[in-house]
């Protein structure tokens, strides 16, 4: 947890970091010589110290700070990989007034990033969002799919659509990027294409089409992103048959089904420009 205090106004960011180091040596494995091992204790204390010395503005920048430290402080470190996740704390707000120092845990989605950097190389940075569960009760269909003798699924002109979104994207550059703005834009774009306009929604002919349209819109809106992966698993809810109880269930009472379900995934990247 890192707290930035500006008078009475406090800002927080809580992160979980996993740090992996690749060393030049293998003697610790082959001969039991531990002289080149950087202990977990050192890695843990380094993360804490860097938070104090550099601050934690975004998980992306902090992850790159950690990579840079180990690659420049030890001449036998070949590669550093940092995976970081931010806890979803949200500042309390009432009647448009934000609280100065109180927050509520709001797990509607989780922000994460992965940074990998080799010695004398540049950081390779991915960011993402996971466990963002969304649903809509109408304006989703699935028709015209391939059928064979084992197919029992019926065409659905209108259905209940629920998914837990995972998305991970690659930044084409790591300097002069507003990571907070980019992450918020991508998250809101995913929600926007899933839900459609608030007063009327937007029809989805398949999860695949919604997924692809979202990726294209993200690449249009965030020029620093050159590749985006999205995973949208189908989380099924089925209408409960109440005929034996003498009741007509007009898709009002549904039951969630854990499995089986489809896991719809896709990756879209920008076309590489020709070099003259």
């Amino acid at each position: 947890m890192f707290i930035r205090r500006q008078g009475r106004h406090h800002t927080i960011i809580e992160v979980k970091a996993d740090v992996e180091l690749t060393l030049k040596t293998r003697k610790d494995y082959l001969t039991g010589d531990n002289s080149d091992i950087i202990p977990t204790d050192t890695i843990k204390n380094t993360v804490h110290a860097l938070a104090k010395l550099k601050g934690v503005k975004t998980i992306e920048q902090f992850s790159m700070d950690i990579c840079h430290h180990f690659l420049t402080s030890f001449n036998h470190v070949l590669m550093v990989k940092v995976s970081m996740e931010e806890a979803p704390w949200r500042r309390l707000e009432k009647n448009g007034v934000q609280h100065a120092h109180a927050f509520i845990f709001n797990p509607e989605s989780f922000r994460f990033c992965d940074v990998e950097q080799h010695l004398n190389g540049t950081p390779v940075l991915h960011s993402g969002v996971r466990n963002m569960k969304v649903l809509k009760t109408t304006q989703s269909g699935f028709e015209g799919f391939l059928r064979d003798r084992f197919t029992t699924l019926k065409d659905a002109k209108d259905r209940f659509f629920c998914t837990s979104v995972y998305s991970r994207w690659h930044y084409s550059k790591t300097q002069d990027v507003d990571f907070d703005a980019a992450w918020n834009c991508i998250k809101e774009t995913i929600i926007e294409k899933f839900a459609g306009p608030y007063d009327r929604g937007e029809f989805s002919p398949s999860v695949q089409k919604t997924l692809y349209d979202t990726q294209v819109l993200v690449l249009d809106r965030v020029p620093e992103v050159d590749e985006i992966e999205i995973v949208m698993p189908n989380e099924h809810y089925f209408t409960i048959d109440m005929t034996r109880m003498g009741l007509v269930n007009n898709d009002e009472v549904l039951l969630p089904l854990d499995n089986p379900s489809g896991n719809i995934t896709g990756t879209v990247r920008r076309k590489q420009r020709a070099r003259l």
Side-chain angles (χ1 to χ4, degrees):
M1 173 72 75
F2 179 77
I3 305 174
R4 180 180 291 107
R5 296 178 173 88
Q6 297 172 302
R8 297 177 61 186
H9 189 271
H10 298 173
T11 302
I12 66 168
I13 180 169
E14 181 181 355
V15 304
K16 176 184 176 182
D18 293 323
V19 181
E20 299 179 20
L21 306 179
T22 300
L23 309 180
K24 292 179 181 178
T25 180
R26 290 178 292 177
K27 61 186 180 182
D28 46 342
Y29 290 95
L30 299 178
T31 67
D33 184 342
N34 297 335
S35 59
D36 282 344
I37 293 178
I38 302 171
T40 303
D41 177 73
T42 303
I43 298 173
K44 174 199 67 177
N45 292 338
T46 299
V47 172
H48 295 163
L50 289 175
K52 167 62 180 176
L53 295 171
K54 291 183 172 292
V56 184
K57 185 177 180 182
T58 66
I59 57 173
E60 290 85 0
Q61 185 59 57
F62 189 42
S63 296
M64 289 190 288
D65 289 341
I66 294 171
C67 288
H68 180 265
H69 172 85
F70 283 106
L71 288 170
T72 56
S73 299
F74 302 92
N75 59 18
H76 65 300
V77 174
L78 291 177
M79 189 267 285
V80 183
K81 181 178 179 181
V82 178
S83 299
M84 194 170 293
E85 182 173 283
E86 179 177 343
W89 290 103
R90 177 174 59 83
R91 188 181 299 277
L92 287 176
E93 182 177 332
K94 185 175 182 180
N95 299 327
V97 179
Q98 292 189 336
H99 202 286
H101 56 258
F103 304 81
I104 186 169
F105 196 77
N106 184 41
E108 68 175 21
S109 62
F110 290 82
R111 176 176 174 176
F112 69 90
C113 77
D114 302 302
V115 179
E116 184 174 307
Q117 186 173 3
H118 291 259
L119 183 64
N120 300 321
T122 57
V124 177
L125 171 60
H126 291 83
S127 291
V129 58
R130 69 169 183 84
N131 290 3
M132 185 167 71
K133 192 166 185 176
V134 290
L135 70 82
K136 60 182 182 179
T137 57
T138 187
Q139 294 218 51
S140 173
F142 188 55
E143 301 177 276
F145 46 85
L146 187 148
R147 295 179 179 276
D148 68 6
R149 64 194 181 100
F150 298 122
T151 304
T152 59
L153 183 66
K154 296 180 180 179
D155 281 346
K157 294 182 179 295
D158 192 47
R159 62 176 181 170
F160 185 99
F161 179 12
C162 178
T163 187
S164 181
V165 179
Y166 168 92
S167 182
R168 182 175 182 262
W169 53 89
H170 175 257
Y171 286 103
S172 58
K173 65 176 187 176
T174 57
Q175 300 296 321
D176 302 318
V177 179
D178 187 335
F179 294 114
D180 285 339
W183 189 87
N184 284 315
C185 179
I186 294 172
K187 176 191 172 187
E188 291 305 316
T189 299
I190 294 171
I191 295 171
E192 175 187 330
K193 289 305 296 179
F194 174 86
Y198 278 33
D199 59 337
R200 63 184 184 277
E202 179 178 320
F203 182 74
S204 168
S206 67
V207 180
Q208 288 86 342
K209 185 65 168 64
T210 297
L211 186 149
Y212 175 73
D213 287 347
T214 302
Q215 292 168 314
V216 171
L217 188 56
V218 167
L219 293 179
D220 180 63
R221 289 179 173 178
V222 188
E224 299 90 352
V225 170
D226 62 5
E227 178 180 296
I228 178 168
E229 173 193 13
I230 296 181
V231 181
M232 287 184 169
N234 262 319
E235 299 198 0
H236 293 298
Y237 286 71
F238 287 101
T239 302
I240 299 172
D241 184 358
M242 296 183 173
T243 55
R244 292 186 178 183
M245 296 181 282
L247 299 173
V248 177
N249 184 8
N250 295 316
D251 295 329
E252 298 158 301
V253 183
L254 295 89
L255 184 69
L257 183 69
D258 290 337
N259 55 68
S261 64
N263 204 44
I264 316 304
T265 180
T267 301
V268 174
R269 62 181 59 91
R270 297 185 191 274
K271 290 183 178 179
Q272 291 187 347
R273 296 179 180 178
R275 296 182 179 180
L276 298 179

